[in-house]
Amino acid sequence: MTWFWFLSLLKVDLKLDEDFRITFMTKKQKGLVEAIGEIWKNSEHCNCVRHLYANLKKKFKTYEIRNKVWEAAKATTVEDFNRVMTKIKDMNEKAHEWLCEKPAEQ
């Protein structure tokens, strides 16, 4: 089974056209983001913060920035997001660099 096939059937079952705006939250399953973009051109994609932090924690063996990662994810303005990201940088520069590689809008 492919994501394209699955999402095509989901689109039909839900009776949605390609102009329907929808946001998908994923944990980076292979091929899923590409299939979403093909089927729903106006869709948005977000990463699951829990999985993002789990990967960060595994890579950097850091626990102290957990609350700051969640605070950044919940930021409602660019200024608030940048303020929290600066705090993360002060706590763990390598983790900050890793997070900055991810699209902020996701």
Side-chain angles (χ1 to χ4, degrees), residues 9-45:
L9 292 177
L10 179 65
K11 182 178 174 180
V12 170
D13 286 348
L14 296 177
K15 297 177 176 67
L16 302 174
D17 62 27
E18 72 177 43
D19 293 330
F20 185 79
R21 294 189 52 88
I22 189 167
T23 299
F24 288 89
M25 185 181 297
T26 72
K27 62 175 190 173
K28 297 255 189 190
Q29 290 88 345
K30 186 175 181 170
L32 179 56
V33 175
E34 294 81 7
I36 290 169
E38 280 185 49
I39 294 170
W40 280 289
K41 306 261 187 263
N42 294 322
S43 67
E44 293 184 30
H45 172 255

